Amino acid sequence: MPKLGCIGIDVGGTKTRFDLFDDRFHVVQSIKIKTEKDPEDFKTELTKAVKKFIKNAAPRLIVSGIGVGFAGTVDMKKGIVLSAPNLSLLEGFSFKKALEPFTNSEGVNVYNDVHAAMYGELKLGSAVGCKQALGVFIGTGIGGAIVSNGQLHFGASGLAGNIGHYLFQPYGPLAGSERHGILDEVASRAAIAGAAASFALKGWAPHLLEEAGTDVSKIKSSDLARAIRAGDKSIEELVRSRAQIVGIVLSNLVDFFNPEAVVLGGGLTDAMPKLIREEVTAGIKAHSNADARRELRVVTAKLKGHAVTAGSAKLASETNRP
């Protein structure tokens, strides 16, 4: 007798990951493709990958739901992209319309990617058993999520946890944001890559220069990690200082929310988990109340690159139980 499976999709600014999960949430198959910017091309590649999964799943698995984690703001009820900083042409795209032919009418569920990732960690990863927790995922941008009373907290508008827009310096030059001095502009991978490119250009980071050059768009988290291991002290100091700023910002939330865990994830954390955890912890410890952090654990995401797909698929499976 076939078992129920589900599909998780992680739509990022440059790549989209598809994971097919069995009933125990083991990964059966994975596909990674370039994220197409044109809506029609995106839809074509999206449906092609899902068709392939469903064909490969049969007859052992019946796909009961499809969960999508999207890097932007979404209407969870309608399954539509509302805003997408790095994929503006996909604003208004309906995942429900594109994917409903492959499952039942309620089988497609769409979430913000960091909300989905934190749910994956809550149910299957580093935050299992937590009642109160914060998630911070550092990638191209910085996203956050909140767990309250053991449940993912979406907020009144579905935007709860938007730590990337945390204001910590209310003046200075704008850098692609409507607000001055937000965390995203300082501690995201994109922001760090911008500073790192400047260091490489000035000759302060020879290993990074050789590895990735000075084009900010080509400096990935893995490039920064390799440069540090190769001996670029300026890059190590840069990453450590920016990660500690994340911890300083989190110290306010630790005092305010009093969580039992902070889960760190995203591409930058996955590339150098020990360093990021050390510096975020140092920032929290130096600026938070000792009583508020007494029960606090700072941990890295267990699911890593599969956090978004696992979380979105898990949410979809729970929503669409027969």
Side-chain angles (χ1 to χ4, degrees), residues 73-144:
T73 305
V74 301
D75 184 321
M76 291 185 288
K77 291 182 179 179
K78 296 180 180 179
I80 295 173
V81 176
L82 297 178
S83 67
N86 300 314
L87 294 166
S88 59
L89 292 178
L90 294 184
E91 291 178 3
F93 184 84
S94 174
F95 283 97
K96 276 193 176 291
K97 286 183 179 179
L99 298 174
E100 270 184 351
F102 305 107
T103 183
N104 61 68
S105 61
E106 300 299 322
V108 180
N109 296 265
V110 185
Y111 313 93
N112 168 266
D113 59 342
V114 178
H115 286 165
M118 188 59 186
Y119 196 74
E121 292 297 324
L122 177 65
K123 295 297 182 179
L124 304 164
S126 295
V128 170
C130 286
K131 295 297 184 183
Q132 322 294 337
L134 299 172
V136 179
F137 288 71
I138 310 171
T140 304
I142 299 180

Side-chain angles (χ1 to χ4, degrees), residues 189-209:
R189 192 267 300 162
I192 293 171
S198 174
F199 289 0
L201 185 64
K202 293 175 180 178
W204 299 347
H207 297 289
L208 181 66
L209 180 63

Side-chain angles (χ1 to χ4, degrees), residues 2-318:
K3 296 181 178 180
L4 296 179
C6 48
I7 295 172
I9 305 173
D10 175 6
V11 183
T14 56
K15 293 181 181 179
T16 298
R17 177 194 287 271
F18 301 77
D19 283 334
L20 173 63
F21 295 93
D22 64 16
D23 60 327
R24 295 186 178 183
F25 276 86
H26 297 145
V27 177
V28 176
Q29 185 180 3
S30 293
I31 299 174
K32 285 177 77 173
I33 63 172
K34 176 185 175 183
T35 301
E36 297 290 345
K37 304 297 191 289
D38 177 79
E40 286 303 315
D41 291 342
F42 177 76
K43 181 180 178 181
T44 297
E45 295 301 318
L46 179 76
T47 55
K48 185 189 298 183
V50 172
K51 283 180 184 177
K52 183 175 181 180
F53 271 2
I54 291 175
K55 180 180 178 181
N56 292 346
R60 295 179 299 117
L61 293 173
I62 296 175
V63 174
S64 62
I66 301 173
V68 180
F70 185 83
T73 305
V74 301
D75 184 321
M76 291 185 288
K77 291 182 179 179
K78 296 180 180 179
I80 295 173
V81 176
L82 297 178
S83 67
N86 300 314
L87 294 166
S88 59
L89 292 178
L90 294 184
E91 291 178 3
F93 184 84
S94 174
F95 283 97
K96 276 193 176 291
K97 286 183 179 179
L99 298 174
E100 270 184 351
F102 305 107
T103 183
N104 61 68
S105 61
E106 300 299 322
V108 180
N109 296 265
V110 185
Y111 313 93
N112 168 266
D113 59 342
V114 178
H115 286 165
M118 188 59 186
Y119 196 74
E121 292 297 324
L122 177 65
K123 295 297 182 179
L124 304 164
S126 295
V128 170
C130 286
K131 295 297 184 183
Q132 322 294 337
L134 299 172
V136 179
F137 288 71
I138 310 171
T140 304
I142 299 180
I146 301 168
V147 171
S148 179
N149 293 323
Q151 301 292 321
L152 197 61
H153 177 67
F154 293 106
S157 303
L159 298 176
N162 189 5
I163 194 171
H165 272 228
Y166 186 98
L167 184 67
F168 71 95
Q169 185 70 286
Y171 54 85
L174 288 173
S177 169
E178 296 177 355
R179 302 174 70 195
H180 295 281
I182 61 173
L183 185 62
D184 221 23
E185 304 291 355
V186 174
S188 66
R189 192 267 300 162
I192 293 171
S198 174
F199 289 0
L201 185 64
K202 293 175 180 178
W204 299 347
H207 297 289
L208 181 66
L209 180 63
E210 182 179 353
E211 178 81 25
T214 59
D215 185 340
V216 175
S217 67
K218 294 181 180 178
I219 298 177
K220 308 303 181 187
S221 297
S222 56
D223 297 322
L224 296 170
R226 281 193 292 270
I228 291 171
R229 289 196 298 269
D232 280 348
K233 293 296 183 183
S234 64
I235 301 301
E236 180 174 353
E237 290 171 3
L238 170 67
V239 175
R240 285 188 180 278
S241 66
R242 301 301 174 86
Q244 194 162 143
I245 288 172
V246 174
I248 293 170
V249 167
L250 279 170
S251 70
N252 297 282
L253 303 183
V254 166
D255 285 347
F256 181 78
F257 183 60
N258 193 203
E260 62 199 277
V262 168
V263 179
L264 303 172
L268 194 71
T269 303
D270 291 348
M272 44 193 116
K274 184 174 183 291
L275 185 154
I276 298 299
R277 181 178 174 276
E278 284 177 352
E279 297 304 329
V280 170
T281 301
I284 293 172
K285 188 175 182 179
H287 297 276
S288 61
N289 184 285
D291 291 333
R293 66 172 186 272
R294 183 181 300 125
E295 303 297 327
L296 181 70
R297 296 182 295 118
V298 180
V299 297
T300 54
K302 181 179 178 180
L303 302 177
K304 297 187 178 181
H306 297 283
V308 175
T309 56
S312 59
K314 183 70 172 170
L315 280 161
S317 71
E318 293 176 351

